[in-house]
Amino acid sequence: MTVAAHDTPVTFEFVAQTQSSREVEIRARVAGFLEKRLYTEGSLVKAGQTLFQMDRKPFEASLLSAQGQLAQQQARWEVAKATLARVRPLAAQNAVSKMDLDNAVGEERSTRAAVLAAEGTVRTEQLNLSYTTISSPLTGLSSYAKRQDGSYVTPGESGLLTTVSQMDPIYVNFSLSENETLKYRDEMNSGHLKLPPQGDLVIEVVLADGTVVPEHGKVSFLAPSFSQNTGTFLVRAELANPKGLLKPGQFVRALAKGATRPDAILVPQKAVLEGAKSHFVWVVNAEGKPEQRVVMVGDWHGDDWFITQGLRAGERIVIDGAVRVTPGGAINIVQKTDAAPAAPTAEPVSKPANQADSSGKKP
């Protein structure tokens, strides 16, 4: 084949795992008995849907008591205000002592403060009563109930009732090793790799059975540093999941598309042989003789190999029968009959008995 340089789209593949974009723990906020579970475990619940109902009666009684205390304090405040209204004009006429006026003012302020405290108690009891109805704050997939009807629950660790996981959108997390990160950086600096504008790679997800998820995503988060535990760099893509095809915790393949390799040279895998110290190809010179050429190989691209060094556009290389070629030996160049470019095909006139075949398989 005649070597040609083309701008070649490339796809990077990573092992990834899905994660809910928002997972909420549903917990009890007050202590009491769990009266009833009101949702089907594992079902999709809506935002605001009631999941659990606690026994309301003790909280209703506490609320009534607080409201009674508020009414008492309001009555005292009304009496104190009326007393102050009577004492103030008498004090102006020196009909009562200044101490009487000060006592009336103090009583009015004290009862007003007591009313405010009682109002706060009423609001607290109202909140506690509202907490007995436990609802979902979001639309998502529910988990199983961790506490059953009749259980006594308290705020804290024992108050975890279930979890709700938002399914749309969903996160797809994958990691880059430090070596991969440095490699891609060097390739971009040298011009061998070009990312789309603003680095907006398109993320395509493939399931374990080969099913391609129809929705595509984009990278939404890059970790600020490498993980101290794994030495990898976390990348997160966000993907629409309207039908719930993806579930949190799935292992999938993430294909990052949109990057290109400018003026890339691709050769078939079978044309690249591996010697004792390097890879090489057979280049057909102007006399039609094969010459061994050391090349530097890059990534795979389908059944082809990127050649980063060693070949130039316009040169001809052997792609068929390369393992039987000898330096300067005679070869028959056969024209390919399909639509592909004419390819020099190595057909040795005779094979030396002491020449061993080289393997061009992927390591």
Side-chain angles (χ1 to χ4, degrees):
M1 66 174 282
T2 300
V3 175
H6 301 285
D7 290 348
T8 306
V10 290
T11 299
F12 302 104
E13 182 173 326
F14 305 95
V15 176
Q17 189 173 23
T18 58
Q19 177 189 352
S20 170
S21 57
R22 187 182 173 194
E23 186 172 280
V24 177
E25 294 181 342
I26 307 300
R27 293 181 175 272
R29 303 178 71 173
V30 291
F33 286 95
L34 196 62
E35 194 170 73
K36 192 173 183 182
R37 170 174 55 85
L38 299 174
Y39 77 103
T40 302
E41 295 172 305
S43 64
L44 185 70
V45 296
K46 302 293 184 180
Q49 178 179 337
T50 301
L51 305 181
F52 297 92
Q53 180 63 58
M54 297 178 63
D55 186 8
R56 294 171 55 91
K57 293 186 287 294
F59 299 93
E60 290 173 343
S62 296
L63 176 59
L64 286 175
S65 177
Q67 289 172 336
Q69 292 294 328
L70 174 60
Q72 287 182 357
Q73 297 301 333
Q74 287 175 333
R76 289 181 56 204
W77 186 29
E78 293 297 329
V79 172
K81 287 193 294 183
T83 300
L84 179 61
R86 289 193 302 268
V87 170
R88 182 167 280 139
L90 294 175
Q93 300 173 7
N94 293 323
V96 295
S97 67
K98 184 170 177 49
M99 180 179 293
D100 292 334
L101 176 61
D102 293 340
N103 290 338
V105 171
E107 182 66 17
E108 190 275 336
R109 291 178 178 177
S110 176
T111 53
R112 181 173 57 182
V115 168
L116 292 176
E119 287 177 345
T121 302
V122 169
R123 291 185 183 181
T124 299
E125 295 301 334
Q126 288 173 337
L127 282 175
N128 290 339
L129 178 61
S130 68
Y131 292 155
T132 60
T133 300
I134 303 171
S135 304
S136 173
L138 54 85
T139 297
L141 200 63
S142 61
S143 180
Y144 65 91
K146 299 182 183 296
R147 303 300 295 269
Q148 301 304 315
D149 297 355
S151 301
Y152 185 79
V153 295
T154 59
E157 291 300 323
S158 64
L160 178 60
L161 302 179
T162 188
T163 57
V164 176
S165 302
Q166 184 170 319
M167 306 297 293
D168 185 22
I170 198 166
Y171 290 153
V172 178
N173 298 326
F174 54 92
S175 299
L176 291 173
S177 68
E178 185 175 359
N179 288 338
E180 288 176 319
T181 305
L182 295 175
K183 172 188 171 184
Y184 295 145
R185 185 195 64 183
D186 293 341
E187 288 180 343
M188 287 187 288
N189 292 338
S190 62
H192 291 152
L193 179 65
K194 183 179 180 181
L195 296 181
Q198 288 82 45
D200 290 336
L201 294 170
V202 176
I203 306 300
E204 185 177 275
V205 175
V206 182
L207 303 182
D209 63 353
T211 302
V212 178
V213 177
E215 288 77 17
H216 294 166
K218 289 188 176 182
V219 174
S220 61
F221 172 76
L222 298 173
S225 60
F226 285 92
S227 169
Q228 296 182 358
N229 297 325
T230 62
T232 56
F233 184 74
L234 175 65
V235 181
R236 173 183 293 167
E238 187 173 312
L239 195 73
N241 190 33
K243 296 182 179 179
L245 182 61
L246 295 172
K247 301 291 190 297
Q250 278 184 273
F251 283 97
V252 296
R253 287 185 293 142
L255 308 181
K257 298 183 175 182
T260 57
R261 294 194 181 276
D263 297 327
I265 292 178
L266 283 171
V267 300
Q269 176 268 334
K270 60 184 178 180
V272 181
L273 306 180
E274 187 173 2
K277 296 183 178 180
S278 62
H279 293 85
F280 65 91
V281 297
W282 292 106
V283 178
V284 180
N285 59 23
E287 291 77 25
K289 301 294 184 180
E291 297 178 352
Q292 191 177 101
R293 178 78 60 80
V294 174
V295 295
M296 184 176 293
V297 298
D299 295 330
W300 286 87
H301 185 76
D303 293 330
D304 297 333
W305 224 334
F306 282 107
I307 302 299
T308 59
Q309 291 183 17
L311 285 179
R312 299 184 301 272
E315 292 184 312
R316 296 189 300 166
I317 62 171
V318 174
I319 60 172
D320 287 337
V323 295
R324 293 173 288 170
V325 175
T326 58
I331 58 174
N332 296 326
I333 299 177
V334 180
Q335 298 293 332
K336 295 180 72 69
T337 57
D338 55 17
T345 303
E347 295 292 342
V349 176
S350 61
K351 176 181 177 182
N354 60 352
Q355 180 176 345
D357 290 346
S358 299
S359 174
K361 297 298 182 181
K362 181 179 179 182

